[in-house]
Amino acid sequence: MSFSLLRAPLRSAALTSARSVPRAQFRSAFRKYSTTPPPPAQKSSSKTLLLSLGAAAGVGAVAFYYYGDSREAVTALKSGVQAAKAKTNFVPTKEDYQKVYNKIATLLDADDYDDGSYGPVLVRLAWHSSGTYDKDTKTGGSNYATMRFESEASHGANNGLNIARNLLEQVKNEFDWISYGDLWTLAGVTAIQEMAGPKIPWRAGRIDGQAADATPDGRLPDATQGSDHLRKIFGRMGFNDQEIVALSGAHALGRCHPDRSGFTGPWTFSPTTLTNAYYQLLFDETWQWKKWNGPKQLEDKKTKSLMMLPTDYVLVTDKSFKKYAKAYAQDQDLFFKDFSAAVSRLFELGVPTQQFVTPEPWIMKSVDEQEEEKK
Ligand code: HEM
């Protein structure tokens, strides 16, 4: 496929995607958004549960518990939140979550940020908050939103995600009843759907955990490595080869930032629109190692403006991965179907089924659909 075809569906801001954003802009981004201070860990040596529902005066306000064991504290917190909700007679419905979706959607476009959208960094936040899951120990995942705590926020892989977390604070302020895990994953769903991606089935029910639930460093993938590493990391979450390849297609969106990961540049010419262009470019372009004073990455020979990480490139060098990557390059509908299923599962990692508010996932409506309905 030619580049001009790939450019076709883009919003104007995306056309400037190949430019590299000046470092000064990154610096100002960092000045503007500092890391959210983590709530203090609440622990006590005595196993007494101190419930101060007085603090739960507002809708869904936080109740404070002092409990020795973090799991028990979470359970206590959950029932406390439910008690607070019962007190205020407020139980959010799908329509309430749709309001949150709509609010997030209003925050996506920003002419002065990257390629004109916060969508990609919100997708990365949702993925990094979920991708810490370990199926053997049943720890990590999106349930407890542990990236709120400095011990996890400071992992190298999470550099720059303070921008996404801070952006969502204004949504949390307006809808204070929503848990951070639900807010971050719903933001990922909103961003994907609003950037022309497929519907991502989503359920509410995550609860805010404690600092003790934060995961150790090293659970997220290292972009400098190869297929064995990808299988190890994604296998730990419970994903197979096909799902690894489908999930990687998220790199049609966004870009690498030297100040965050050390890598630079976008993967596609349409970094604010989800398409299967990532796979097409992997096959159609000639990729060569970039000669620069930075980590090993590939660039397209023709324009030298696109990039691939070593972990992206293994999708065409590993025989098993290649089969799926080729199928997605040839069929965007197939990519969307498999991407939707894998992302929906990714965002639910670590959440006990009984915690979800509904047995069946919801399909949140896009802003366009809601506009259509009003006509
Ligand atoms: C396969 C293993 C993966 C590796 C090694 C990897 C690595 C990276 C790196 C190094 C960046 C650049 C960060 C920056 O400098 O801002 C990045 C960005 C991104 N990643 Fe991944 N990633 C992987 C999988 C995924 C998955 C599974 C998703 C989502 C389903 C995802 C979504 C994104 C998005 C949307 C961005 C762009 C963020 C932005 O523009 O700010 N990645 N990834």
Side-chain angles (χ1 to χ4, degrees), residues 159-323:
N159 281 352
L161 290 179
N162 53 320
I163 293 170
R165 293 195 302 275
N166 289 344
L167 182 74
L168 294 175
E169 268 309 295
Q170 50 192 301
V171 184
K172 175 72 177 170
N173 289 340
E174 190 173 334
F175 303 92
D176 61 357
W177 45 265
I178 196 169
S179 70
Y180 278 98
D182 280 350
L183 176 62
W184 293 351
T185 52
L186 183 55
V189 168
T190 308
I192 290 167
Q193 294 189 175
E194 296 301 315
M195 291 190 288
K199 286 292 170 60
I200 309 291
W202 179 85
R203 279 186 283 185
R206 293 159 195 78
I207 52 179
D208 293 337
Q210 302 271 305
D213 297 310
T215 54
D217 202 356
R219 289 198 176 184
L220 292 165
D222 171 356
T224 64
Q225 305 226 21
S227 46
D228 288 351
H229 172 75
L230 284 188
R231 287 194 177 96
K232 190 172 141 235
I233 293 285
F234 283 89
R236 194 208 62 231
M237 296 173 222
F239 290 116
N240 61 26
D241 281 11
Q242 174 258 312
E243 290 165 313
I244 294 172
V245 178
L247 287 169
S248 298
H251 283 171
L253 299 169
R255 59 170 54 240
C256 292
H257 305 78
D259 308 55
R260 301 181 197 173
S261 60
F263 297 98
T264 190
W267 290 265
T268 67
F269 287 113
S270 51
T272 62
T273 309
L274 187 61
T275 68
N276 63 341
Y278 165 81
Y279 305 103
Q280 292 178 336
L281 288 160
L282 269 171
F283 286 103
D284 294 350
E285 297 312 315
T286 304
W287 295 93
Q288 60 191 22
W289 293 107
K290 182 180 173 73
K291 293 193 185 70
W292 76 315
N293 196 14
K296 256 180 101 171
Q297 66 174 69
L298 296 116
E299 65 183 6
D300 71 298
K301 197 172 171 197
K302 211 184 286 170
T303 72
K304 295 186 169 56
S305 61
L306 298 179
M307 70 93 60
M308 289 289 165
L309 299 164
T311 41
D312 295 309
Y313 200 58
V314 297
L315 301 195
V316 291
T317 56
D318 180 280
K319 234 178 121 189
S320 168
F321 287 156
K322 187 178 177 179
K323 184 176 66 188

Side-chain angles (χ1 to χ4, degrees), residues 19-66:
R19 74 183 152 80
S20 51
V21 177
R23 278 179 170 263
Q25 193 173 322
F26 289 126
R27 276 197 296 273
S28 70
F30 276 107
R31 272 200 301 275
K32 205 153 126 200
Y33 305 99
S34 62
T35 301
T36 313
Q42 286 146 8
K43 277 205 162 193
S44 153
S45 52
S46 72
K47 284 243 171 187
T48 47
L49 175 66
L50 187 77
L51 172 60
S52 78
L53 264 179
V59 174
V62 180
F64 296 97
Y65 294 88
Y66 295 88

Side-chain angles (χ1 to χ4, degrees), residues 110-150:
D111 286 341
D112 58 348
Y113 177 75
D114 268 15
D115 302 296
S117 172
Y118 283 106
V121 78
L122 291 179
V123 175
R124 185 170 160 245
L125 172 66
W127 134 240
H128 279 210
S129 66
S130 310
T132 53
Y133 184 63
D134 178 345
K135 66 177 167 39
D136 294 331
T137 59
K138 294 197 168 35
T139 57
S142 66
N143 196 23
Y144 298 140
T146 43
M147 210 196 294
R148 288 171 301 130
F149 303 107
E150 187 56 27

Side-chain angles (χ1 to χ4, degrees), residues 298-363:
L298 296 116
E299 65 183 6
D300 71 298
K301 197 172 171 197
K302 211 184 286 170
T303 72
K304 295 186 169 56
S305 61
L306 298 179
M307 70 93 60
M308 289 289 165
L309 299 164
T311 41
D312 295 309
Y313 200 58
V314 297
L315 301 195
V316 291
T317 56
D318 180 280
K319 234 178 121 189
S320 168
F321 287 156
K322 187 178 177 179
K323 184 176 66 188
Y324 301 110
K326 189 87 204 164
Y328 297 146
Q330 288 167 347
D331 187 346
Q332 178 161 291
D333 290 345
L334 178 69
F335 164 53
F336 271 16
K337 181 173 100 23
D338 288 354
F339 181 75
S340 167
V343 170
S344 186
R345 201 152 78 73
L346 172 71
F347 289 176
E348 293 197 349
L349 291 179
V351 191
T353 315
Q354 68 274 15
Q355 223 180 272
F356 287 115
V357 300
T358 49
E360 289 303 317
W362 292 329
I363 304 292

